């Protein structure tokens, strides 16, 4: 039995909105089905790519229920419940766990920028109210707070429900230290598509991906190849996907990936302020980076 919530690829799902700025439930179900049909190993809902910072609390519960009901146990569903308020993170985490979430994604608090011991206390407070598995999320480019390897390892050792980390620091030395010293129950996921191949070679367990919103089959094939030790195939797929990987960050995520999904006719592409659509010249660059890859992945 797999000791982790999942091993493989999970898209960090975008949140589609209608022209009237409501949650587009039809499009969301379409995205979920498309991922599962492409053999995604899990779904991550209400992460950074899901614009969780601008989702209202009543919408959050709707999204959680929709994702869990529509996935219907076909794959694990991990819900982003962390923010920079511990009390709010506790409420979001307890509600998601009660709704049936398979895991909670808990980001390092942003803006208030606590010390490492503050993040440890933050996670401990969440773990006190639910035994739902927790995936830590380290993304210092967004939060201005880097979770050190020591902090990650301390949390994994002290709190049994800490089951994984999404590492998007880009710090290979730090991630190597986590892989080298982790307890057996701690999964390590790449949080950056372009870092996935080297991290798989070091023994990581998969990827929580932006790019797989658009190219789920190819991204999944890359990760599966790496997990099976077929690094010739993984390297070939990585090189195929480098341009789209980078294009996802020609502007702030999820602006580019939503633009491509809109171009494909899968969502409206609407964003919530302060995020704004791509500038025209960037739109051309993003579409050009994806165009050759989309023929087999449109639906």
């Amino acid at each position: 039995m797999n000791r982790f919530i999942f091993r493989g690829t999970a898209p960090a799902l975008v949140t589609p909105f209608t022209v009237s700025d409501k949650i587009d439930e039809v499009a969301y179900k379409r995205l979920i089905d498309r991922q599962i049909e492409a053999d995604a190993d899990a779904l991550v809902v209400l992460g950074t790519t899901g614009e969780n910072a601008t989702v209202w609390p009543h919408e959050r519960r709707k999204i959680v229920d929709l994702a869990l009901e529509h996935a219907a146990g076909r794959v694990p569903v991990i819900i982003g419940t962390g923010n920079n308020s511990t009390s709010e993170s506790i409420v979001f985490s307890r509600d998601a766990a009660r709704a049936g979430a398979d895991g909670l994604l808990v980001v390092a608090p942003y803006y208030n920028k606590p010390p490492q011991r503050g993040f440890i206390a933050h996670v401990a407070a969440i773990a006190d109210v639910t035994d739902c598995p927790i995936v830590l999320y380290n993304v210092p480019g967004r939060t201005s707070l880097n979770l050190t390897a020591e902090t990650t390892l301390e949390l994994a050792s002290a709190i049994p429900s800490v089951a994984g980390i999404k590492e998007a620091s880009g710090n290979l030395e730090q991630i190597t230290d986590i892989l080298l010293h982790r307890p057996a129950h701690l999964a390590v996921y790449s949080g950056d598509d372009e870092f996935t191949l080297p991290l798989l070679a070091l023994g990581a367990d998969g990827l929580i991906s932006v790019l797989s919103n658009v190219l789920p089959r190819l991204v999944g094939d890359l990760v599966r190849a790496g997990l099976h030790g077929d690094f010739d195939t993984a390297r070939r797929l990585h090189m195929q996907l480098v341009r789209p990987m980078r294009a996802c960050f020609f502007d702030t995520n999820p602006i580019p990936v939503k633009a491509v999904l809109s171009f494909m006719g899968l969502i409206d592409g609407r964003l919530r302020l302060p995020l704004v659509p791509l500038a025209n010249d960037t739109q051309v660059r993003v579409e050009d980076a994806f165009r050759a890859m989309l023929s087999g992945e449109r639906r």
Side-chain angles (χ1 to χ4, degrees):
M1 182 178 294
N2 195 328
R3 66 184 185 273
F4 302 142
I5 302 172
F6 77 97
R7 205 162 181 265
T9 305
L13 281 174
V14 303
T15 301
F17 302 113
T18 67
V19 292
S20 57
D21 199 36
K22 306 295 184 185
I23 305 301
D24 190 335
E25 298 184 31
V26 172
Y28 206 68
K29 291 177 182 178
R30 183 187 307 130
L31 295 178
I32 289 171
D33 286 336
R34 184 170 179 265
Q35 292 293 328
I36 294 173
E37 288 163 7
D39 296 325
D41 298 287
L43 304 173
V44 173
V45 171
L46 287 171
T48 304
T49 310
E51 294 175 82
N52 61 345
T54 49
V55 169
W56 291 93
H58 71 277
E59 294 176 318
R60 164 178 287 275
R61 186 54 194 262
K62 177 182 288 188
I63 291 167
V64 169
D65 288 343
L66 177 64
L68 289 167
E69 289 169 8
H70 197 66
R74 291 179 288 172
V75 294
V77 178
I78 299 168
I79 309 295
T81 58
N83 66 11
N84 68 333
S85 164
T86 301
S87 58
E88 224 176 22
S89 299
I90 286 170
V91 171
F92 293 160
S93 297
R94 186 172 52 216
D95 287 350
R98 287 174 176 170
D102 297 284
L104 312 173
L105 185 70
V106 176
V107 70
Y110 40 85
Y111 188 73
N112 40 19
K113 200 177 178 182
Q116 299 292 308
R117 66 184 184 280
F119 181 68
I120 291 169
H122 177 79
V123 175
I126 294 168
D128 278 346
V129 301
T130 175
D131 59 2
C132 191
I134 293 170
V135 178
L136 309 175
Y137 180 15
N138 188 29
V139 58
R142 290 273 188 167
T143 64
S144 296
L145 171 64
N146 177 56
L147 305 183
T148 66
E150 291 79 11
T151 293
T152 298
L153 295 168
E154 180 177 341
L155 281 165
S157 297
I159 301 176
S161 59
V162 172
I165 182 166
K166 176 185 176 182
E167 245 293 356
S169 67
N171 185 330
L172 194 59
E173 179 180 357
Q174 175 172 287
I175 302 169
T176 300
D177 285 344
I178 296 170
L179 288 163
L180 186 62
H181 299 293
R182 63 173 166 164
H185 71 275
L186 185 73
V188 177
Y189 304 114
S190 174
D192 182 331
D193 287 277
E194 196 167 346
F195 260 71
T196 304
L197 178 59
L199 293 188
L200 289 171
L202 288 168
D205 302 292
L207 165 67
I208 297 176
S209 173
V210 174
L211 180 60
S212 64
N213 277 280
V214 177
L215 300 170
R217 179 70 64 185
L218 288 171
V219 174
D221 286 347
L222 188 165
V223 174
R224 278 185 287 273
L227 289 174
H228 287 95
D230 181 2
F231 285 102
D232 287 340
T233 298
R235 189 181 307 108
R236 175 178 56 78
L237 288 167
H238 174 88
M239 295 306 184
Q240 272 185 259
L241 291 169
V242 162
R243 285 190 72 209
M245 285 175 182
R246 293 178 180 174
C248 287
F249 297 91
F250 283 174
D251 206 332
T252 301
N253 177 48
I255 296 172
V257 73
K258 274 195 149 182
V260 178
L261 290 168
S262 177
F263 173 71
M264 297 170 71
L266 292 169
I267 65 171
D268 178 80
R270 187 169 299 271
L271 300 143
R272 281 189 172 167
L273 288 169
L275 297 184
V276 291
L278 290 171
N280 288 340
D281 58 339
T282 309
Q283 175 89 23
V284 170
R285 291 174 61 220
V286 168
E287 290 183 5
D288 182 61
F290 275 93
R291 199 178 307 275
M293 309 296 297
L294 291 180
S295 59
E297 293 264 8
R298 280 194 176 269
R299 294 289 176 185

